[in-house]
């Protein structure tokens, strides 16, 4: 059987690494990882290429390597980069223009399938939202943080691109992501002892386990899915219940004060403030629950973890982390490295 070649953009990042690790387990799949930064630890069976995805040679690479599928995982927060903070212009170029370049190159090279990770936040949080937002609902999450506008611009481009090209493009929209890694904005928010909430508001919320993020992205690739799909765990619950389930205590704030503080640029652009409150305040006030009928019916994917199970897994990881923090720090001396250095010196003598 001929091996299928898959390209993962952003392969050195958190999601790209995990996808590459899973795909590399299958002998019928050849994995090429593309990232502007080198990977922390190479993965056996993955060919890494350190390059900007906007390189004009991308089309030639896709053609030469006969790439059949692309998992596009490049999306920078703009808060940090390899050489410090990224400017808003650089973040836009990487996120929006990068996605456009990838789709254009994939179309020119006749790639069969592209899978892109997105968020249900693109629907926006509004008082007049229906209880369940279908994939064809208008995208009204265009205000506030620039990263959400980037997601909106990418999805708007994909919708236009899809009308003029026959390539399969699967866009998977996820709500808050939780799990053991503690790396998402939702996990940083819920992992605080007293996450701030808005006094008098307790909206229903959705989440998804990070293992189901990986599972659904790979499923969409294998199934050659085409379209937009909301992917979320079974079960919705009030925000306050989520916070208490992972061991926290909500800290209600009078919402006019919270909105007034958010308008100050010193607050909006402060890293600590963004870690404490990584969302626009409307997402803690109004509903933005996504319908998952298409996930089960058209995509034919069933999450392995319910919302309760995902939160319980996250709480367990928080407990383990608290135990690690109590352990004395080990010395950084690396005896193995010192031994190997001496051995090399002996061999060279």
């Amino acid at each position: 059987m001929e091996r299928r070649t898959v390209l993962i953009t952003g392969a050195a990042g958190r999601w790209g690494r995990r996808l590459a690790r899973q795909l590399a387990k299958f002998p019928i799949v050849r994995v090429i990882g593309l990232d502007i930064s080198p990977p922390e630890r190479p993965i056996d069976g993955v060919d890494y290429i350190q390059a900007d995805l906007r390189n004009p040679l991308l089309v030639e690479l896709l053609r030469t390597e006969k790439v059949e599928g692309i998992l596009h995982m490049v999306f920078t927060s703009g808060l940090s980069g390899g050489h410090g903070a990224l400017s808003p212009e650089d973040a836009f170029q990487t996120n929006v223009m990068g996605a456009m370049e990838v789709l254009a190159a994939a179309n020119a090279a006749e790639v069969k399938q592209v899978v892109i990770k997105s968020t249900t936040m693109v629907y926006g949080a509004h008082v007049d939202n229906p209880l369940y937002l279908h994939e064809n609902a208008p995208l009204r999450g265009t205000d506030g943080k620039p990263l959400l506008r980037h997601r909106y611009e990418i999805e708007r481009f994909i919708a236009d691109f899809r009308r003029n090209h026959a390539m399969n493009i699967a866009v998977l929209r996820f709500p808050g992501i939780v799990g053991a890694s503690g790396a998402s904005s939702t996990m940083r928010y819920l992992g605080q002892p007293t996450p701030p909430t808005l006094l008098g508001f307790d909206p229903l919320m959705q989440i998804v386990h990070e293992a189901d993020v990986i599972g659904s992205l790979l499923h969409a690739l294998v199934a050659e899915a085409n379209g937009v799909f909301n992917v979320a765990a079974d079960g919705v619950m009030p925000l306050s219940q989520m916070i208490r389930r992972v061991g926290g205590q909500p800290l209600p704030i009078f919402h006019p004060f919270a909105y007034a503080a958010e308008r100050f640029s010193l607050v909006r652009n402060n890293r600590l403030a963004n870690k404490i409150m990584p969302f626009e305040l409307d997402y803690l006030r109004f509903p933005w629950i996504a319908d998952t009928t298409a996930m089960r019916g058209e995509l034919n994917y069933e999450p392995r973890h319910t919302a309760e199970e995902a939160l319980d897994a996250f709480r367990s990881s928080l407990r383990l982390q608290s135990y690690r923090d109590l352990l004395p720090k080990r010395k950084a001396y690396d005896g193995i490295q010192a031994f190997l250095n001496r051995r090399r010196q002996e061999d060279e003598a």
Side-chain angles (χ1 to χ4, degrees), residues 119-315:
T119 172
T120 56
M121 281 188 168
V122 293
Y123 296 117
H126 301 278
V127 67
D128 60 344
N129 274 348
L131 180 58
Y132 289 100
L133 291 154
H134 294 268
E135 284 83 354
N136 59 359
L139 305 185
R140 299 193 289 167
T142 57
D143 298 328
K145 296 185 182 295
L147 296 186
L148 195 53
R149 293 198 296 273
H150 292 180
R151 292 287 191 191
Y152 168 78
E153 293 293 342
I154 292 170
E155 291 225 23
R156 188 177 67 169
F157 173 79
I158 292 172
D160 293 337
F161 190 90
R162 194 192 302 278
R163 284 192 286 268
N164 300 309
H165 303 87
M167 182 174 59
N168 284 354
I169 307 172
V171 178
L172 273 56
R173 295 173 181 162
F174 300 98
I177 300 171
V178 299
S181 71
S184 75
S185 56
T186 299
M187 285 186 266
R188 289 192 292 270
Y189 171 76
L190 291 175
Q192 300 174 88
T194 54
T197 60
L198 298 180
L199 183 64
F201 297 94
D202 195 14
L204 292 174
M205 303 288 282
Q206 276 176 316
I207 55 170
V208 63
H209 194 286
E210 57 188 359
D212 284 313
V213 174
I214 298 297
S216 59
L217 289 168
L218 293 177
H219 177 84
L221 177 72
V222 173
E224 296 185 358
N226 187 32
V228 181
F229 305 95
N230 300 323
V231 178
D234 185 30
V236 298
M237 63 182 73
L239 174 61
S240 61
Q241 184 178 339
M242 282 190 175
I243 293 172
R244 292 189 176 94
R245 193 172 184 102
V246 299
Q249 183 64 37
L251 177 63
I253 300 174
F254 190 41
H255 72 273
F257 293 161
Y259 279 94
E262 190 183 43
R263 286 194 289 270
F264 288 100
S265 60
L266 289 177
V267 174
R268 294 183 64 85
N269 300 323
N270 183 275
R271 290 194 182 193
L272 178 59
N274 276 281
K275 288 183 179 180
I276 295 173
M277 180 61 72
F279 317 115
E280 289 297 311
L281 294 174
D282 283 351
Y283 289 91
L284 304 181
R285 184 180 181 186
F286 302 124
W288 49 292
I289 302 297
D291 183 270
T292 56
T293 302
M295 175 190 74
R296 293 180 170 86
E298 297 177 36
L299 186 60
N300 196 27
Y301 182 78
E302 182 68 36
R304 295 174 56 189
H305 302 83
T306 65
E308 290 81 3
E309 291 169 344
L311 289 170
D312 291 345
F314 179 51
R315 180 169 186 167

